[in-house]
Amino acid sequence: DVKVTQSSRYLVKRTGEKVFLECVQDMDHENMFWYRQDPGLGLRLIYFSYDVKMKEKGDIPEGYSVSREKKERFSLILESASTNQTSMYLCASSPPPHQETQYFGPGTRLLVL
Amino acid sequence: SQKIEQNSEALNIQEGKTATLTCNYTNYSPAYLQWYRQDPGRGPVFLLLIRENEKEKRKERLKVTFDTTLKQSLFHITASQPADSATYLCALGDSNSGYALNFGKGTSLLVTP
């Protein structure tokens, strides 16, 4: 079974803090994705990566950065957390050869105070 | 701009009936369309993928249709069960965006005994 894990289920941070969200997949997937999900707005793509050290901006990259130093790990970084970044963050990966299909982690619910 | 619309109102149906969910899109020429299921507090789970040259796809009690002329997909769950209660998301992908997906906001389905 494909497994995508995220470092925390719940996080509470203060405004201005630097926040790291970690995602690990155990199936050698090439593509990895970070989304945020908000009520009424649905899933929105923040960043994605096709390979180690490669990254592409999604629809809402402002205020975020990412790191992919190893194939299995894709980190989302909030450089200076703000209250409008309070959200559910979901990581996904997609495997060859069916790279259209995404496997999601359980999500991290982040609250920025 | 690209737009994906799913029934915003929750769909309530009785156990045993067929649930039909709609996904409409505009300003988009997707190469494929997917349906995901999401339970509260969890990440989406892939259900079915249908490509632009396919009209219909089935998997057990699930059936998806894809009409590129109407720009619409219908997702059917036959003989619905209370365990089918969840939010269902449609997602579109095309060759221009690599393997990134655009998600609709989802439709909540409630199946009552």
Side-chain angles (χ1 to χ4, degrees):
Chain A
D1 259 0
V2 173
K3 194 148 187 191
V4 180
T5 56
Q6 294 184 229
S7 49
S8 307
R9 289 304 308 272
Y10 301 95
L11 265 183
V12 180
K13 296 291 181 181
R14 297 268 175 207
T15 302
E17 277 192 77
K18 192 167 185 175
V19 181
F20 294 86
L21 302 181
E22 301 277 323
C23 176
V24 177
Q25 46 92 3
D26 66 356
M27 290 296 289
D28 204 34
H29 294 177
E30 283 154 6
N31 305 323
M32 296 187 75
F33 308 83
W34 274 108
Y35 297 87
R36 64 178 282 177
Q37 187 173 32
D38 302 286
L41 295 176
L43 272 164
R44 294 181 291 165
L45 182 64
I46 306 172
Y47 268 98
F48 58 105
S49 168
Y50 290 130
D51 204 348
V52 174
K53 298 200 186 294
M54 297 196 62
K55 60 185 179 184
E56 297 280 345
K57 290 181 181 178
D59 299 317
I60 51 163
E62 298 79 18
Y64 303 94
S65 62
V66 290
S67 171
R68 191 149 181 219
E69 296 296 318
K70 292 186 178 182
K71 193 173 186 180
E72 67 270 19
R73 190 179 297 268
F74 192 33
S75 302
L76 180 69
I77 302 151
L78 284 65
E79 298 290 344
S80 177
S82 63
T83 54
N84 63 13
Q85 292 178 309
T86 291
S87 187
M88 170 73 126
Y89 289 88
L90 289 157
C91 173
S93 67
S94 65
H98 304 294
Q99 303 201 64
E100 304 94 339
T101 301
Q102 294 188 12
Y103 292 86
F104 283 82
T108 295
R109 193 168 290 282
L110 173 67
L111 173 62
V112 182
L113 299 173
Chain B
S1 61
Q2 296 171 344
K3 202 170 179 182
I4 302 169
E5 290 185 348
Q6 295 187 249
N7 315 62
S8 56
E9 293 189 11
L11 181 63
N12 292 343
I13 64 164
Q14 205 169 13
E15 184 175 8
K17 303 287 187 188
T18 296
T20 298
L21 285 68
T22 305
C23 177
N24 294 301
Y25 59 92
T26 54
N27 298 323
Y28 210 146
S29 296
Y32 50 87
L33 185 148
Q34 302 181 37
W35 284 88
Y36 288 78
R37 169 186 172 136
Q38 187 173 24
D39 292 289
R42 294 178 172 267
V45 175
F46 170 75
L47 296 174
L48 279 168
L49 178 151
I50 187 165
R51 299 187 187 279
E52 59 180 334
N53 59 349
E54 297 174 313
K55 296 286 187 192
E56 184 179 297
K57 210 75 167 289
R58 291 174 185 260
K59 179 183 174 184
E60 297 171 353
R61 294 185 296 112
L62 309 180
K63 184 178 90 170
V64 173
T65 63
F66 193 10
D67 188 326
T68 55
T69 302
L70 289 178
K71 296 186 182 293
Q72 181 182 76
S73 173
L74 298 178
F75 177 77
H76 306 273
I77 305 174
T78 58
S80 59
Q81 304 165 0
D84 295 325
S85 299
T87 296
Y88 291 86
L89 308 171
C90 77
L92 279 63
D94 61 55
S95 54
N96 293 330
S97 56
Y99 298 109
L101 293 173
N102 277 317
F103 281 85
K105 294 176 185 176
T107 298
S108 176
L109 172 67
L110 179 63
V111 181
T112 52

Short mmCIF file of all heavy atoms in Angstrom, two decimals, chain A residues 36-90:
data_model
loop_
_atom_site.label_atom_id
_atom_site.label_comp_id
_atom_site.label_asym_id
_atom_site.label_seq_id
_atom_site.Cartn_x
_atom_site.Cartn_y
_atom_site.Cartn_z
N ARG A 36 -3.40 23.49 0.00
CA ARG A 36 -4.13 23.89 1.19
C ARG A 36 -5.62 23.79 0.87
O ARG A 36 -6.04 23.94 -0.29
CB ARG A 36 -3.77 25.29 1.69
CG ARG A 36 -4.07 26.42 0.79
CD ARG A 36 -3.69 27.77 1.43
NE ARG A 36 -4.68 28.21 2.42
CZ ARG A 36 -4.56 29.32 3.15
NH1 ARG A 36 -3.50 30.11 2.99
NH2 ARG A 36 -5.49 29.66 4.03
N GLN A 37 -6.40 23.49 1.92
CA GLN A 37 -7.83 23.31 1.73
C GLN A 37 -8.57 24.18 2.74
O GLN A 37 -8.35 24.06 3.95
CB GLN A 37 -8.23 21.84 1.91
CG GLN A 37 -9.67 21.56 1.56
CD GLN A 37 -9.99 20.07 1.57
OE1 GLN A 37 -9.42 19.31 2.34
NE2 GLN A 37 -10.90 19.64 0.69
N ASP A 38 -9.43 25.04 2.23
CA ASP A 38 -10.20 25.95 3.07
C ASP A 38 -11.68 25.82 2.72
O ASP A 38 -12.02 25.63 1.55
CB ASP A 38 -9.74 27.39 2.84
CG ASP A 38 -8.27 27.58 3.14
OD1 ASP A 38 -7.93 27.59 4.33
OD2 ASP A 38 -7.47 27.68 2.18
N PRO A 39 -12.55 25.97 3.72
CA PRO A 39 -14.00 25.88 3.46
C PRO A 39 -14.42 26.87 2.39
O PRO A 39 -14.06 28.04 2.43
CB PRO A 39 -14.60 26.22 4.83
CG PRO A 39 -13.54 25.91 5.81
CD PRO A 39 -12.24 26.19 5.14
N GLY A 40 -15.17 26.39 1.43
CA GLY A 40 -15.68 27.26 0.38
C GLY A 40 -14.68 27.54 -0.74
O GLY A 40 -15.07 28.08 -1.78
N LEU A 41 -13.42 27.18 -0.53
CA LEU A 41 -12.40 27.43 -1.56
C LEU A 41 -11.84 26.15 -2.16
O LEU A 41 -11.18 26.18 -3.19
CB LEU A 41 -11.26 28.26 -0.98
CG LEU A 41 -11.61 29.67 -0.54
CD1 LEU A 41 -10.41 30.35 0.10
CD2 LEU A 41 -12.12 30.50 -1.73
N GLY A 42 -12.06 25.06 -1.49
CA GLY A 42 -11.60 23.78 -2.02
C GLY A 42 -10.09 23.62 -1.88
O GLY A 42 -9.41 24.33 -1.14
N LEU A 43 -9.56 22.68 -2.64
CA LEU A 43 -8.13 22.38 -2.64
C LEU A 43 -7.41 23.31 -3.61
O LEU A 43 -7.79 23.39 -4.78
CB LEU A 43 -7.91 20.95 -3.13
CG LEU A 43 -7.95 19.83 -2.10
CD1 LEU A 43 -8.11 18.51 -2.80
CD2 LEU A 43 -6.68 19.84 -1.29
N ARG A 44 -6.38 23.96 -3.14
CA ARG A 44 -5.60 24.85 -4.00
C ARG A 44 -4.13 24.45 -3.95
O ARG A 44 -3.59 24.23 -2.87
CB ARG A 44 -5.78 26.30 -3.56
CG ARG A 44 -7.21 26.84 -3.77
CD ARG A 44 -7.34 28.27 -3.35
NE ARG A 44 -7.23 28.41 -1.89
CZ ARG A 44 -7.03 29.57 -1.27
NH1 ARG A 44 -6.93 30.68 -1.97
NH2 ARG A 44 -6.96 29.61 0.05
N LEU A 45 -3.53 24.40 -5.12
CA LEU A 45 -2.15 23.93 -5.24
C LEU A 45 -1.18 25.04 -4.88
O LEU A 45 -1.23 26.13 -5.46
CB LEU A 45 -1.92 23.44 -6.67
CG LEU A 45 -0.55 22.86 -7.00
CD1 LEU A 45 -0.28 21.60 -6.19
CD2 LEU A 45 -0.44 22.58 -8.50
N ILE A 46 -0.26 24.72 -3.98
CA ILE A 46 0.73 25.71 -3.55
C ILE A 46 2.02 25.55 -4.36
O ILE A 46 2.49 26.48 -5.00
CB ILE A 46 1.03 25.56 -2.04
CG1 ILE A 46 -0.25 25.63 -1.22
CG2 ILE A 46 2.01 26.65 -1.58
CD1 ILE A 46 -0.06 25.29 0.25
N TYR A 47 2.59 24.36 -4.29
CA TYR A 47 3.82 24.04 -5.02
C TYR A 47 3.78 22.56 -5.39
O TYR A 47 3.12 21.76 -4.73
CB TYR A 47 5.06 24.26 -4.14
CG TYR A 47 5.71 25.62 -4.23
CD1 TYR A 47 5.43 26.60 -3.29
CD2 TYR A 47 6.62 25.90 -5.25
CE1 TYR A 47 6.04 27.85 -3.37
CE2 TYR A 47 7.24 27.14 -5.32
CZ TYR A 47 6.93 28.11 -4.38
OH TYR A 47 7.55 29.35 -4.44
N PHE A 48 4.56 22.21 -6.41
CA PHE A 48 4.78 20.80 -6.68
C PHE A 48 6.20 20.58 -7.18
O PHE A 48 6.92 21.55 -7.50
CB PHE A 48 3.73 20.23 -7.64
CG PHE A 48 3.63 20.92 -8.98
CD1 PHE A 48 4.15 20.31 -10.12
CD2 PHE A 48 2.97 22.12 -9.13
CE1 PHE A 48 4.03 20.91 -11.36
CE2 PHE A 48 2.85 22.73 -10.36
CZ PHE A 48 3.37 22.13 -11.49
N SER A 49 6.58 19.32 -7.21
CA SER A 49 7.96 18.96 -7.55
C SER A 49 7.95 17.69 -8.38
O SER A 49 7.29 16.71 -8.03
CB SER A 49 8.76 18.75 -6.27
OG SER A 49 10.01 18.15 -6.57
N TYR A 50 8.71 17.71 -9.48
CA TYR A 50 8.80 16.54 -10.34
C TYR A 50 10.01 15.68 -10.03
O TYR A 50 10.12 14.56 -10.51
CB TYR A 50 8.89 16.95 -11.81
CG TYR A 50 7.62 17.54 -12.35
CD1 TYR A 50 7.64 18.75 -13.03
CD2 TYR A 50 6.42 16.88 -12.19
CE1 TYR A 50 6.47 19.28 -13.52
CE2 TYR A 50 5.25 17.41 -12.68
CZ TYR A 50 5.28 18.61 -13.34
OH TYR A 50 4.13 19.14 -13.84
N ASP A 51 10.94 16.23 -9.27
CA ASP A 51 12.16 15.48 -9.02
C ASP A 51 12.92 16.17 -7.89
O ASP A 51 12.60 17.31 -7.51
CB ASP A 51 13.01 15.41 -10.29
CG ASP A 51 13.96 14.23 -10.30
OD1 ASP A 51 14.15 13.59 -9.25
OD2 ASP A 51 14.53 13.96 -11.38
N VAL A 52 13.93 15.51 -7.43
CA VAL A 52 14.76 16.08 -6.38
C VAL A 52 15.30 17.43 -6.84
O VAL A 52 15.72 17.59 -7.98
CB VAL A 52 15.93 15.12 -6.05
CG1 VAL A 52 16.89 15.76 -5.05
CG2 VAL A 52 15.40 13.81 -5.50
N LYS A 53 15.25 18.39 -5.94
CA LYS A 53 15.73 19.75 -6.14
C LYS A 53 14.94 20.53 -7.20
O LYS A 53 15.31 21.66 -7.53
CB LYS A 53 17.22 19.76 -6.50
CG LYS A 53 18.10 19.19 -5.39
CD LYS A 53 19.53 19.64 -5.53
CE LYS A 53 20.44 18.96 -4.51
NZ LYS A 53 20.13 19.39 -3.14
N MET A 54 13.87 19.97 -7.70
CA MET A 54 13.05 20.70 -8.67
C MET A 54 11.74 21.12 -8.02
O MET A 54 11.18 20.38 -7.21
CB MET A 54 12.79 19.84 -9.90
CG MET A 54 14.05 19.49 -10.63
SD MET A 54 13.80 18.88 -12.28
CE MET A 54 13.03 20.23 -13.08
N LYS A 55 11.26 22.30 -8.38
CA LYS A 55 10.01 22.77 -7.82
C LYS A 55 9.31 23.66 -8.84
O LYS A 55 9.96 24.32 -9.66
CB LYS A 55 10.23 23.55 -6.52
CG LYS A 55 11.12 24.77 -6.69
CD LYS A 55 11.39 25.43 -5.36
CE LYS A 55 12.31 26.63 -5.54
NZ LYS A 55 12.70 27.26 -4.27
N GLU A 56 7.99 23.65 -8.76
CA GLU A 56 7.18 24.48 -9.64
C GLU A 56 6.13 25.19 -8.79
O GLU A 56 5.54 24.56 -7.90
CB GLU A 56 6.46 23.63 -10.69
CG GLU A 56 7.36 22.89 -11.65
CD GLU A 56 7.87 23.78 -12.77
OE1 GLU A 56 7.32 24.88 -12.96
OE2 GLU A 56 8.84 23.37 -13.44
N LYS A 57 5.86 26.43 -9.09
CA LYS A 57 4.81 27.15 -8.37
C LYS A 57 3.44 26.66 -8.82
O LYS A 57 3.22 26.38 -10.00
CB LYS A 57 4.92 28.65 -8.65
CG LYS A 57 6.14 29.29 -8.03
CD LYS A 57 6.19 30.78 -8.32
CE LYS A 57 7.42 31.40 -7.70
NZ LYS A 57 7.52 32.84 -8.01
N GLY A 58 2.55 26.58 -7.84
CA GLY A 58 1.17 26.27 -8.14
C GLY A 58 0.37 27.56 -8.26
O GLY A 58 0.88 28.59 -8.69
N ASP A 59 -0.88 27.50 -7.82
CA ASP A 59 -1.76 28.66 -7.96
C ASP A 59 -1.57 29.72 -6.88
O ASP A 59 -1.86 30.90 -7.10
CB ASP A 59 -3.22 28.19 -7.94
CG ASP A 59 -3.51 27.24 -9.08
OD1 ASP A 59 -3.05 27.52 -10.21
OD2 ASP A 59 -4.18 26.21 -8.86
N ILE A 60 -1.10 29.30 -5.71
CA ILE A 60 -1.00 30.25 -4.58
C ILE A 60 0.33 30.10 -3.84
O ILE A 60 0.37 29.79 -2.66
CB ILE A 60 -2.19 30.07 -3.59
CG1 ILE A 60 -2.34 28.59 -3.18
CG2 ILE A 60 -3.48 30.59 -4.20
CD1 ILE A 60 -3.17 28.40 -1.94
N PRO A 61 1.46 30.36 -4.48
CA PRO A 61 2.76 30.14 -3.84
C PRO A 61 3.20 31.25 -2.88
O PRO A 61 4.14 31.06 -2.10
CB PRO A 61 3.71 30.08 -5.03
CG PRO A 61 3.07 30.99 -6.04
CD PRO A 61 1.58 30.81 -5.86
N GLU A 62 2.52 32.39 -2.91
CA GLU A 62 2.99 33.54 -2.12
C GLU A 62 2.98 33.21 -0.64
O GLU A 62 1.98 32.73 -0.10
CB GLU A 62 2.09 34.76 -2.39
CG GLU A 62 2.11 35.25 -3.83
CD GLU A 62 1.24 34.42 -4.75
OE1 GLU A 62 0.37 33.68 -4.26
OE2 GLU A 62 1.44 34.50 -5.98
N GLY A 63 4.09 33.51 0.01
CA GLY A 63 4.20 33.29 1.44
C GLY A 63 4.71 31.89 1.81
O GLY A 63 4.89 31.58 2.98
N TYR A 64 4.97 31.09 0.77
CA TYR A 64 5.43 29.72 0.98
C TYR A 64 6.71 29.46 0.19
O TYR A 64 6.95 30.09 -0.84
CB TYR A 64 4.38 28.70 0.52
CG TYR A 64 3.04 28.83 1.16
CD1 TYR A 64 2.04 29.58 0.55
CD2 TYR A 64 2.76 28.20 2.36
CE1 TYR A 64 0.79 29.70 1.13
CE2 TYR A 64 1.51 28.31 2.95
CZ TYR A 64 0.53 29.06 2.33
OH TYR A 64 -0.70 29.17 2.92
N SER A 65 7.49 28.50 0.65
CA SER A 65 8.57 27.95 -0.15
C SER A 65 8.59 26.45 0.09
O SER A 65 7.90 25.94 0.98
CB SER A 65 9.92 28.59 0.20
OG SER A 65 10.25 28.33 1.56
N VAL A 66 9.37 25.74 -0.72
CA VAL A 66 9.43 24.29 -0.59
C VAL A 66 10.88 23.83 -0.72
O VAL A 66 11.74 24.54 -1.21
CB VAL A 66 8.56 23.55 -1.63
CG1 VAL A 66 7.07 23.74 -1.36
CG2 VAL A 66 8.93 23.97 -3.04
N SER A 67 11.08 22.60 -0.27
CA SER A 67 12.40 21.99 -0.38
C SER A 67 12.23 20.52 -0.69
O SER A 67 11.43 19.83 -0.05
CB SER A 67 13.16 22.17 0.94
OG SER A 67 14.35 21.42 0.94
N ARG A 68 13.02 20.05 -1.66
CA ARG A 68 13.02 18.62 -1.97
C ARG A 68 14.47 18.19 -2.17
O ARG A 68 14.99 18.18 -3.27
CB ARG A 68 12.18 18.30 -3.20
CG ARG A 68 11.98 16.79 -3.35
CD ARG A 68 10.69 16.45 -3.97
NE ARG A 68 10.51 15.01 -4.09
CZ ARG A 68 9.96 14.45 -5.14
NH1 ARG A 68 9.53 15.18 -6.16
NH2 ARG A 68 9.81 13.13 -5.16
N GLU A 69 15.07 17.81 -1.07
CA GLU A 69 16.47 17.38 -1.07
C GLU A 69 16.60 15.88 -1.30
O GLU A 69 17.62 15.41 -1.81
CB GLU A 69 17.14 17.76 0.25
CG GLU A 69 17.23 19.27 0.48
CD GLU A 69 18.11 19.94 -0.55
OE1 GLU A 69 19.19 19.40 -0.90
OE2 GLU A 69 17.72 21.02 -1.06
N LYS A 70 15.57 15.14 -0.93
CA LYS A 70 15.54 13.69 -1.16
C LYS A 70 14.24 13.33 -1.85
O LYS A 70 13.23 14.01 -1.65
CB LYS A 70 15.66 12.93 0.16
CG LYS A 70 17.00 13.08 0.84
CD LYS A 70 17.08 12.18 2.07
CE LYS A 70 18.46 12.31 2.71
NZ LYS A 70 18.59 11.42 3.89
N LYS A 71 14.25 12.28 -2.62
CA LYS A 71 13.09 11.93 -3.42
C LYS A 71 11.85 11.68 -2.56
O LYS A 71 10.74 12.02 -2.95
CB LYS A 71 13.41 10.68 -4.24
CG LYS A 71 12.41 10.39 -5.34
CD LYS A 71 12.90 9.24 -6.19
CE LYS A 71 11.98 9.05 -7.38
NZ LYS A 71 12.44 7.93 -8.24
N GLU A 72 12.05 11.10 -1.39
CA GLU A 72 10.90 10.70 -0.60
C GLU A 72 10.32 11.83 0.26
O GLU A 72 9.27 11.67 0.84
CB GLU A 72 11.27 9.52 0.31
CG GLU A 72 12.27 9.84 1.42
CD GLU A 72 13.71 9.63 0.98
OE1 GLU A 72 13.98 9.58 -0.25
OE2 GLU A 72 14.57 9.50 1.88
N ARG A 73 11.00 12.96 0.32
CA ARG A 73 10.61 14.00 1.27
C ARG A 73 10.38 15.33 0.58
O ARG A 73 11.22 15.79 -0.19
CB ARG A 73 11.70 14.15 2.33
CG ARG A 73 11.36 15.02 3.51
CD ARG A 73 12.53 15.05 4.48
NE ARG A 73 12.81 13.72 5.02
CZ ARG A 73 12.30 13.25 6.14
NH1 ARG A 73 11.46 13.99 6.85
NH2 ARG A 73 12.62 12.04 6.55
N PHE A 74 9.24 15.95 0.89
CA PHE A 74 8.90 17.25 0.30
C PHE A 74 8.41 18.14 1.42
O PHE A 74 7.42 17.83 2.08
CB PHE A 74 7.81 17.04 -0.75
CG PHE A 74 7.53 18.23 -1.65
CD1 PHE A 74 8.54 19.11 -2.02
CD2 PHE A 74 6.26 18.45 -2.16
CE1 PHE A 74 8.29 20.17 -2.88
CE2 PHE A 74 6.00 19.51 -3.01
CZ PHE A 74 7.01 20.37 -3.37
N SER A 75 9.15 19.22 1.67
CA SER A 75 8.85 20.08 2.80
C SER A 75 8.21 21.37 2.34
O SER A 75 8.64 21.96 1.33
CB SER A 75 10.13 20.40 3.58
OG SER A 75 10.75 19.21 4.02
N LEU A 76 7.23 21.82 3.08
CA LEU A 76 6.59 23.12 2.84
C LEU A 76 7.02 24.05 3.96
O LEU A 76 6.94 23.68 5.14
CB LEU A 76 5.07 22.97 2.82
CG LEU A 76 4.27 24.26 2.59
CD1 LEU A 76 4.47 24.76 1.15
CD2 LEU A 76 2.79 24.04 2.86
N ILE A 77 7.45 25.25 3.60
CA ILE A 77 7.96 26.19 4.59
C ILE A 77 7.14 27.47 4.52
O ILE A 77 6.95 28.04 3.43
CB ILE A 77 9.45 26.51 4.30
CG1 ILE A 77 10.25 25.21 4.31
CG2 ILE A 77 9.99 27.49 5.34
CD1 ILE A 77 11.46 25.23 3.43
N LEU A 78 6.64 27.87 5.68
CA LEU A 78 5.99 29.17 5.80
C LEU A 78 7.04 30.09 6.39
O LEU A 78 7.43 29.95 7.56
CB LEU A 78 4.77 29.09 6.71
CG LEU A 78 3.50 28.44 6.14
CD1 LEU A 78 3.71 26.95 5.83
CD2 LEU A 78 2.34 28.64 7.10
N GLU A 79 7.55 31.00 5.59
CA GLU A 79 8.70 31.81 6.00
C GLU A 79 8.38 32.67 7.22
O GLU A 79 9.19 32.81 8.12
CB GLU A 79 9.15 32.70 4.83
CG GLU A 79 9.62 31.90 3.61
CD GLU A 79 10.95 31.19 3.84
OE1 GLU A 79 11.66 31.55 4.81
OE2 GLU A 79 11.27 30.28 3.08
N SER A 80 7.20 33.24 7.25
CA SER A 80 6.77 34.07 8.39
C SER A 80 5.26 33.90 8.48
O SER A 80 4.51 34.56 7.75
CB SER A 80 7.15 35.53 8.13
OG SER A 80 6.68 36.35 9.18
N ALA A 81 4.84 32.99 9.35
CA ALA A 81 3.43 32.60 9.38
C ALA A 81 2.52 33.79 9.64
O ALA A 81 2.83 34.67 10.47
CB ALA A 81 3.22 31.52 10.43
N SER A 82 1.39 33.79 8.95
CA SER A 82 0.38 34.82 9.17
C SER A 82 -0.96 34.13 9.42
O SER A 82 -1.15 32.96 9.08
CB SER A 82 0.29 35.75 7.97
OG SER A 82 -0.12 35.02 6.83
N THR A 83 -1.87 34.88 10.02
CA THR A 83 -3.16 34.28 10.39
C THR A 83 -3.92 33.77 9.17
O THR A 83 -4.67 32.80 9.27
CB THR A 83 -4.03 35.28 11.17
OG1 THR A 83 -4.16 36.48 10.40
CG2 THR A 83 -3.41 35.62 12.53
N ASN A 84 -3.71 34.39 8.01
CA ASN A 84 -4.43 33.92 6.82
C ASN A 84 -3.84 32.64 6.24
O ASN A 84 -4.33 32.14 5.21
CB ASN A 84 -4.54 35.02 5.75
CG ASN A 84 -3.20 35.45 5.22
OD1 ASN A 84 -2.18 34.80 5.45
ND2 ASN A 84 -3.17 36.55 4.48
N GLN A 85 -2.81 32.12 6.90
CA GLN A 85 -2.28 30.82 6.51
C GLN A 85 -2.82 29.69 7.39
O GLN A 85 -2.41 28.54 7.25
CB GLN A 85 -0.75 30.83 6.52
CG GLN A 85 -0.18 31.72 5.42
CD GLN A 85 1.32 31.80 5.42
OE1 GLN A 85 1.95 32.06 6.45
NE2 GLN A 85 1.93 31.58 4.25
N THR A 86 -3.73 30.05 8.28
CA THR A 86 -4.45 29.02 9.03
C THR A 86 -5.27 28.20 8.04
O THR A 86 -6.08 28.76 7.30
CB THR A 86 -5.38 29.67 10.07
OG1 THR A 86 -4.59 30.26 11.09
CG2 THR A 86 -6.33 28.65 10.68
N SER A 87 -5.04 26.90 8.02
CA SER A 87 -5.67 26.08 6.99
C SER A 87 -5.36 24.61 7.24
O SER A 87 -4.58 24.25 8.13
CB SER A 87 -5.14 26.48 5.62
OG SER A 87 -5.82 25.82 4.57
N MET A 88 -5.96 23.76 6.40
CA MET A 88 -5.59 22.35 6.34
C MET A 88 -4.61 22.20 5.20
O MET A 88 -4.91 22.61 4.06
CB MET A 88 -6.84 21.50 6.09
CG MET A 88 -6.55 20.05 5.78
SD MET A 88 -6.01 19.13 7.22
CE MET A 88 -7.17 17.78 7.20
N TYR A 89 -3.44 21.62 5.49
CA TYR A 89 -2.42 21.44 4.46
C TYR A 89 -2.33 19.96 4.11
O TYR A 89 -2.18 19.10 4.98
CB TYR A 89 -1.07 21.96 4.95
CG TYR A 89 -1.06 23.47 5.01
CD1 TYR A 89 -1.48 24.14 6.16
CD2 TYR A 89 -0.68 24.22 3.90
CE1 TYR A 89 -1.51 25.53 6.19
CE2 TYR A 89 -0.71 25.60 3.93
CZ TYR A 89 -1.12 26.25 5.08
OH TYR A 89 -1.16 27.62 5.11
N LEU A 90 -2.40 19.70 2.82
CA LEU A 90 -2.39 18.32 2.34
C LEU A 90 -1.24 18.11 1.39
O LEU A 90 -1.01 18.90 0.47
CB LEU A 90 -3.71 18.01 1.62
CG LEU A 90 -4.92 17.89 2.53
CD1 LEU A 90 -6.20 18.15 1.76
CD2 LEU A 90 -4.97 16.51 3.17
#
